Amino acid sequence: MSTVSFEVPGISCGHCTHTIQTEVGELEGVKSVQASQSERRVTVEFEPPATEESIVGLLTEINYPPAQ
Ligand SMILES: [Cu+2]
């Protein structure tokens, strides 16, 4: 199991955190997703077949790209 945490500047309200948790949570291999509105941060626990790249790709696809 791996854990990765991203700064996501696009988080602006509870709807954003809900969308992120739902969408990322559906990715195969993702075990938990925590999206913080106050910290604008997303923390994901995952195992294969999910990868850090696939999570970044999904966040970008749903218009919440992580800060580089
Ligand atoms: Cu929002």
Side-chain angles (χ1 to χ4, degrees):
M1 183 85 74
S2 304
T3 303
V4 69
S5 182
F6 306 105
E7 184 189 345
V8 179
I11 295 175
S12 59
C13 70
H15 179 253
C16 298
T17 59
H18 179 77
T19 300
I20 289 167
Q21 288 179 167
T22 301
E23 295 284 340
V24 177
E26 286 177 357
L27 202 60
E28 192 180 351
V30 169
K31 297 302 170 190
S32 76
V33 187
Q34 286 185 311
S36 165
Q37 182 183 341
S38 58
E39 296 177 10
R40 294 185 176 175
R41 181 162 289 279
V42 176
T43 303
V44 184
E45 280 188 328
F46 66 97
E47 60 188 24
T51 61
E52 182 169 340
E53 291 71 26
S54 69
I55 295 164
V56 169
L58 177 58
L59 286 168
T60 302
E61 198 174 293
I62 64 173
N63 294 317
Y64 293 106
Q68 296 303 313

